Amino acid sequence: MSGTGPVLQIESLSCGYGRFDVVHEVNLHVGRGEAVALLGPNGAGKTTVLRAVMGLVRNRRGSIVVGGTDISDLPTHRIASGHAAIAPEGRRLFTDLSVEDNLILGALHLRRDRPRVQALLASVYALFPVLKAYRRRRSAFLSGGEQQMVAIGRMLMSDPEILLLDEPSIALSPVAVEIVARALMALRERGASLLLVEQRVDVAAQVCDRLYVLRHGEIVEEMSAEHARRGEHSMIDTYLG
Ligand code: ATP
C-alpha cells in the first residue's frame, strides 16, 4: 500500500462495447479503508465500471488510478497482481475444486512465494473460519453464502489494494444474504477498501460508508450510507425503479 489519497480514483471514465459507450464521464473515488456502493437499475453500467477497473473493458476516455498508480492501460493480469481483485456476479468458482484450491488460484502471481501464499491463506481462514473447516470440500457442496465467502477469500489471496464485488447478494436466500453481509462487515473491520455493486439498498447501506447511484451510465446521486439508513432514500428507490 502507498500514499494517503483515495485508493481508487476514477475520473471522467467513458467506456463501452463495440462502438457504443455505456458509461459516460463517470467520476468516483474510494478512500483507503472505505466501503462504497454503486447502485442502479439493470443495465445502468455498474458491472461495466468494475470491468473497466480490471482492464476487461478498455476505457476510451478518462483515467483509473489505484493506490497512486494509473492502471488505465495495464493488462488485466497486471491489474489482478495486487492492484485490484473482483468477485464477479455469480461467483465463478471452480466448483469441482476444493475450497482451498479455489482460494490458492487467487494467488497465482505469488505462486513462487509459498510462505506468502500460506500467510494469506491463514489470514483468509482467520477471517472466515468456516472456510478452514471446509477447506478440503468441493466448492459445489457449499451453500450460496459460503461460496460467496470463497469468492471474497479468493480476492484477498491476491492481496489487492481495492476489492470489487459484483452483486454478492444476488439470487441468495435471506439467510445467505445475511451471511454475505456479515462477511462484508468482517472485511470492513479488517480495513479493506471496497467498491460494492448492489441492487439491495438495505445491504449497501448496512455495509458501506457512501453510495453512488448510476443511471444510464452516469452518476446521478452520491450520498452517505447514514443518509440512506435513516430511510431518506426515496430518491434512490426512484432511480432504481
Ligand atoms: P445489471 O444490474 O443488470 O447487471 P449493470 O448496471 O451491471 O446491470 P452492465 O452489465 O454494465 O449493467 O451493462 C450496461 C449496458 O451494457 C447494458 O445496456 C448491457 O446490455 C450492455 N452490455 C453489457 N455487456 C455487454 C457486452 N459484452 N457487449 C455489448 N453490450 C454489453
Side-chain angles (χ1 to χ4, degrees):
M1 289 197 186
S2 61
T4 52
V7 71
L8 171 66
Q9 178 96 49
I10 297 179
E11 280 183 357
S12 304
L13 174 70
S14 296
C15 57
Y17 306 93
R19 287 187 293 120
F20 301 103
D21 282 352
V22 297
V23 167
H24 311 284
E25 297 286 324
V26 160
N27 293 292
L28 68 81
H29 69 276
V30 178
R32 213 165 274 285
E34 192 184 28
V36 172
L38 188 56
L39 306 168
N42 287 331
K46 306 178 299 293
T47 298
T48 303
V49 171
L50 299 190
R51 300 189 82 219
V53 176
M54 293 308 300
L56 293 163
V57 173
R58 279 292 144 208
N59 57 326
R60 284 200 249 269
R61 280 182 301 286
S63 65
I64 303 172
V65 174
V66 172
T69 303
D70 190 334
I71 61 163
S72 317
D73 294 324
L74 290 184
T76 298
H77 72 275
R78 293 269 312 278
I79 295 169
S81 301
H83 293 294
I86 189 165
E89 188 178 330
R91 306 181 283 275
R92 308 264 179 92
L93 299 182
F94 292 92
T95 49
D96 287 343
L97 298 184
S98 69
V99 165
E100 188 153 302
D101 285 345
N102 269 283
L103 291 174
I104 287 172
L105 281 172
L108 265 188
H109 68 293
L110 301 171
R111 61 190 177 283
R112 290 195 183 83
D113 188 350
R114 283 182 60 92
R116 177 121 181 258
V117 173
Q118 288 307 313
L120 285 164
L121 205 48
S123 72
V124 170
Y125 288 150
L127 190 66
F128 301 136
V130 67
L131 298 189
K132 184 171 187 183
Y134 292 162
R135 66 188 185 280
R136 304 269 171 250
R137 194 173 287 196
R138 268 177 58 189
S139 304
F141 297 145
L142 268 57
S143 72
E146 291 159 352
Q147 288 187 2
Q148 190 62 54
M149 266 190 228
V150 178
I152 295 170
R154 182 176 57 188
M155 283 196 289
L156 294 173
M157 290 297 293
S158 71
D159 203 11
E161 297 218 60
I162 178 89
L163 303 170
L164 312 171
L165 296 110
D166 198 355
E167 307 219 22
S169 71
I170 202 165
L172 292 181
S173 68
V175 172
V177 170
E178 195 44 47
I179 289 172
V180 169
R182 278 205 299 271
L184 296 176
M185 298 297 280
L187 272 183
R188 298 229 36 201
E189 279 160 26
R190 208 177 111 131
S193 313
L194 314 178
L195 180 59
L196 169 69
V197 162
E198 254 304 333
Q199 293 229 5
R200 298 260 314 241
V201 181
D202 57 337
V203 172
Q206 182 189 354
V207 168
C208 294
D209 301 291
R210 259 182 327 112
L211 319 174
Y212 291 97
V213 181
L214 191 70
R215 190 170 171 83
H216 302 313
E218 293 178 19
I219 301 281
V220 289
E221 183 74 36
E222 179 189 352
M223 70 176 69
S224 72
E226 194 191 337
H227 194 75
R229 277 194 294 270
R230 284 202 306 264
E232 296 165 19
H233 53 71
S234 54
M235 187 94 91
I236 296 181
D237 293 336
T238 308
Y239 286 130
L240 296 189

